[in-house]
Amino acid sequence: MQNNFFSDSLDKRSLKQRIRQLSRAKIGFYSIGLYPASLAYNSAMQKSEKSLLLAPRPGRELLGAFSEEEIHGMDPKHVAKMIRMAHHKEEGQSVPNSLEYLILRCDLVLLSANSKYIEQDLAEAQAIKEKLQRPNVVLTCLAGSFNHDEAKDDSYVLCEKNTNLAFFSGFHRHGALRDPVDSFTANFCHPNALTALLGAHMLNRLSPNIQVSPGIHNVEAQYIKAAKNMSSIFAGFGYEFHQQNPGMLPTLLTLLLNQCLDQAATVSMSRKDRHKLYNRQTIALTELGYAVPRIEATLDKGGFTERARDHTFSQLTAIVADVRGSMMLPVRGQPTRNFQAGQALARGMTANNRCPVNVEEFEQWCEQRGLNKGALEGLKALRYWPQIEEKYAIPNHDASMVNLLYKGIYGREEEKDFAFEVMTESRELSNYCQESVRHTHSRKYAEALNNIGRPEALELIANTIIADNARKAILNNDCAIEEREVQPDDPAYLRVMDYIEQSVRKSFETIGCHS
């Protein structure tokens, strides 16, 4: 999939001309849901609407994502600007914009449909690019769920399937983008650093209230959005059901956040373009705002280490803020829709003293709270979770909270009974949070201590103590050798090293005294 702003030309004159075009380029939003419509309203409110064009889906209203009450609360002048963004003149008549019109007039087009329509829209947009001979229009998406191929029964992250597809994401509260003074951050991610830099620069012109930073981790960003939408359901449940247990929430929310990031770090290792991503960039990642070019985690494999996770993406502040913000109850206004779904789950489980019988009953609980099930991307992602966990080899200890939520909604009757007990009993949930994050083999010592009367348990602990004492003896001998006093006839480099080490030790001792 070709998806960049420039052709392969080496002609400097034509490239400079293209750069000047991009400095004045328009951006198009296709399929106007709540988030793109709110961004457009903010742009109109800040008088930055000239760089933005809109095109609703055929048969949909421009403001169809908003309730009548919300529309009545909008400034008519800003709404009029949005309507102008969504229309153009043909033979003196005002006609609505289409996807084809956006691709003809814009250099960056955001396909903002949810996971139900995004692949269809992407295929259509690519066909239109070819038809209009507009290969250098960059397509981006913001779908926050997993996609599924019914014919192959295969679930996946769309940006991993189409590695050059850009991804745009940022956190906003429901309705907050219509606030004239609030500010927001977002990330525009494309695997080519130059495309990411230019795309973020263009999106920054939408409004002075929206700061967009570039990144190269499109796959990770989209995965995180799907994962955080699932986790937001659990966060909403936790806030609602355990509001009388304030000690429980910090542990629950921290674990939900960490597991989102750890899962994405595992997915990052499976990228087919991983080598190219880091080794064939014209612009250094630090030029995009990354503090360091690589953050990786390793596992001890018994004598050698193996790279297990790539956390470099975690430096994308807006992406991480999106996860945190989606799991918080706001001081004012409404939480995210997936969070509200979690609240509906808690009230339904309280009223019925059980988990939902099936996902349809859970959807009914959500609709009773005024939530449209079609807008709940977290619930859609949860449906395909087992395939995603297997496809990307996500360890169970990095996904224990999502697995518990899945069992509570999609599990068998016996599994739901246990899930209900764990989710609703504070002590059970606290123990689950502590124990489920351990590797399976790492629980053997805790089990041994709890069963110290059994000979094999006592044998394991005794052997461990012997091994620990032997390790200490080796280390003590090493320290004795390493801490030898410097002799007068030692070479100069050893004496200088000793002076430096003494200075460092004194510095740390001084810091320790003051602290």
Side-chain angles (χ1 to χ4, degrees):
M1 172 184 176
Q2 182 179 350
N3 197 38
N4 52 61
F5 291 117
F6 299 96
S7 64
D8 293 332
S9 171
L10 298 179
D11 180 59
K12 188 176 290 186
R13 182 177 179 181
S14 63
L15 290 174
K16 287 181 177 179
Q17 183 180 358
R18 177 62 175 156
I19 293 169
R20 284 192 289 267
Q21 288 175 353
L22 292 175
S23 69
R24 305 184 299 271
K26 289 188 178 295
I27 298 166
F29 287 177
Y30 177 68
S31 189
I32 311 302
L34 185 64
Y35 187 39
S38 298
L39 284 171
Y41 186 88
N42 195 287
S43 184
M45 183 168 52
Q46 300 297 333
K47 300 179 181 179
S48 304
E49 75 280 1
K50 291 182 180 179
S51 62
L52 181 60
L53 296 177
L54 308 175
R57 299 188 74 81
R60 302 288 180 90
E61 296 293 328
L62 177 63
L63 300 177
F66 298 102
S67 66
E68 289 295 326
E69 182 181 356
E70 288 170 326
I71 294 173
H72 286 313
M74 295 180 184
D75 189 318
K77 291 184 293 185
H78 302 332
V79 173
K81 288 180 181 179
M82 290 178 66
I83 293 172
R84 287 197 295 272
M85 292 182 210
H87 292 78
H88 66 278
K89 295 283 187 178
E90 284 186 10
E91 298 179 355
Q93 299 294 318
S94 178
V95 297
N97 298 339
S98 63
L99 177 57
E100 183 168 329
Y101 182 81
L102 294 185
I103 291 175
L104 183 64
R105 298 294 181 183
C106 302
D107 287 285
L108 177 61
V109 175
L110 175 64
L111 305 173
S112 56
N114 62 22
S115 56
K116 183 177 180 180
Y117 297 107
I118 183 58
E119 283 199 273
Q120 169 190 327
D121 291 354
L122 178 59
E124 183 181 357
Q126 288 177 289
I128 293 172
K129 281 175 61 174
E130 187 174 347
K131 170 189 169 184
L132 299 179
Q133 297 183 355
R134 294 271 291 162
N136 298 127
V137 174
V138 170
L139 303 176
T140 184
C141 72
L142 50 76
S145 185
F146 306 121
N147 284 81
H148 185 75
D149 187 326
E150 295 289 349
K152 298 180 180 179
D153 191 25
D154 181 38
S155 301
Y156 46 86
V157 177
L158 184 61
C159 284
E160 193 256 342
K161 184 180 179 182
N162 302 273
T163 53
N164 286 326
L165 178 62
F167 189 77
F168 178 73
S169 182
F171 177 71
H172 78 107
R173 291 284 183 204
H174 184 66
L177 277 167
R178 302 194 300 278
D179 189 320
V181 296
D182 210 346
S183 295
F184 307 87
T185 59
N187 282 119
F188 175 78
C189 296
H190 187 283
N192 178 270
L194 180 59
T195 303
L197 186 66
L198 290 167
H201 178 74
M202 293 165 65
L203 287 162
N204 255 325
R205 300 203 307 267
L206 288 180
S207 168
N209 281 8
I210 303 168
Q211 288 78 45
V212 184
S213 299
I216 61 170
H217 294 91
N218 56 335
V219 176
E220 296 83 349
Q222 187 173 32
Y223 180 89
I224 287 175
K225 190 162 186 179
K228 69 92 180 175
N229 281 337
M230 294 187 293
S231 297
S232 294
I233 297 175
F234 208 141
F237 170 86
Y239 266 99
E240 184 71 22
F241 198 98
H242 293 284
Q243 55 185 299
Q244 301 303 319
N245 304 314
M248 180 70 249
L249 286 176
T251 300
L252 176 62
L253 298 179
T254 300
L255 192 51
L256 287 169
L257 168 66
N258 289 346
Q259 290 195 344
C260 278
L261 301 180
D262 289 343
Q263 290 166 30
T266 298
V267 172
S268 187
M269 295 297 295
S270 69
R271 290 188 67 133
K272 300 180 185 70
D273 63 343
R274 180 173 162 75
H275 178 78
K276 177 182 175 182
L277 189 71
Y278 291 118
N279 297 294
R280 297 185 187 176
Q281 299 289 1
T282 308
I283 298 176
L285 265 61
T286 50
E287 293 288 339
L288 301 186
Y290 291 78
V292 294
R294 199 81 67 91
I295 302 175
E296 292 178 337
T298 61
L299 283 177
D300 185 351
K301 291 291 186 177
F304 67 94
T305 58
E306 177 183 81
R307 285 182 293 183
R309 296 178 188 153
D310 183 351
H311 288 269
T312 311
F313 69 87
S314 63
Q315 299 171 85
L316 298 173
T317 304
I319 297 294
V320 178
D322 189 16
V323 182
R324 291 184 187 276
S326 298
M327 297 179 191
M328 294 167 57
L329 193 64
V331 176
R332 64 181 179 88
Q334 293 289 331
T336 65
R337 288 170 290 190
N338 291 292
F339 189 102
Q340 293 179 61
Q343 293 176 307
L345 177 64
R347 293 177 185 181
M349 288 171 63
T350 301
N352 295 279
N353 199 35
R354 58 169 172 78
C355 290
V357 173
N358 48 41
V359 69
E360 288 76 22
E361 184 178 38
F362 179 31
E363 290 172 345
Q364 289 176 6
W365 294 351
C366 292
E367 289 177 337
Q368 289 168 6
R369 295 272 296 161
L371 297 170
N372 179 5
K373 66 180 182 181
L376 299 176
E377 290 283 74
L379 192 53
K380 294 179 189 176
L382 194 64
R383 177 183 176 185
Y384 303 122
W385 169 246
Q387 289 187 333
I388 292 294
E389 186 178 26
E390 181 180 357
K391 182 182 185 74
Y392 297 107
I394 297 170
N396 182 57
H397 58 268
D398 287 340
S400 60
M401 306 313 293
V402 175
N403 284 330
L404 177 59
L405 180 63
Y406 183 88
K407 293 299 183 185
I409 297 174
Y410 286 99
R412 300 189 304 272
E413 184 177 353
E414 182 182 13
E415 292 173 334
K416 288 186 179 188
D417 290 341
F418 283 115
F420 179 81
E421 184 177 355
V422 172
M423 291 173 71
T424 58
E425 295 290 337
S426 177
R427 186 173 296 175
E428 289 287 342
L429 184 56
S430 179
N431 285 333
Y432 181 83
C433 289
Q434 182 179 20
E435 295 298 324
S436 66
V437 297
R438 300 185 185 188
H439 290 262
T440 304
H441 62 78
S442 71
R443 289 199 289 270
K444 63 182 179 182
Y445 297 104
E447 290 294 328
L449 288 170
N450 289 331
N451 297 278
I452 206 69
R454 295 169 56 183
E456 61 270 26
L458 187 61
E459 181 78 9
L460 175 63
I461 298 301
N463 288 339
T464 304
I465 294 171
I466 291 171
D468 189 51
N469 289 339
R471 182 188 60 83
K472 288 177 182 176
I474 293 170
L475 288 176
N476 287 338
N477 286 336
D478 288 346
C479 290
I481 294 171
E482 289 171 359
E483 293 174 2
R484 61 180 284 278
E485 293 183 2
V486 175
Q487 303 300 318
D489 59 343
D490 278 340
Y493 71 88
L494 285 179
R495 304 191 70 166
V496 171
M497 286 169 58
D498 182 65
Y499 292 145
I500 294 171
E501 288 166 3
Q502 287 183 32
S503 298
V504 171
R505 280 197 295 270
K506 288 179 181 177
S507 297
F508 277 108
E509 288 169 1
T510 303
I511 292 170
C513 291
H514 287 308
S515 61

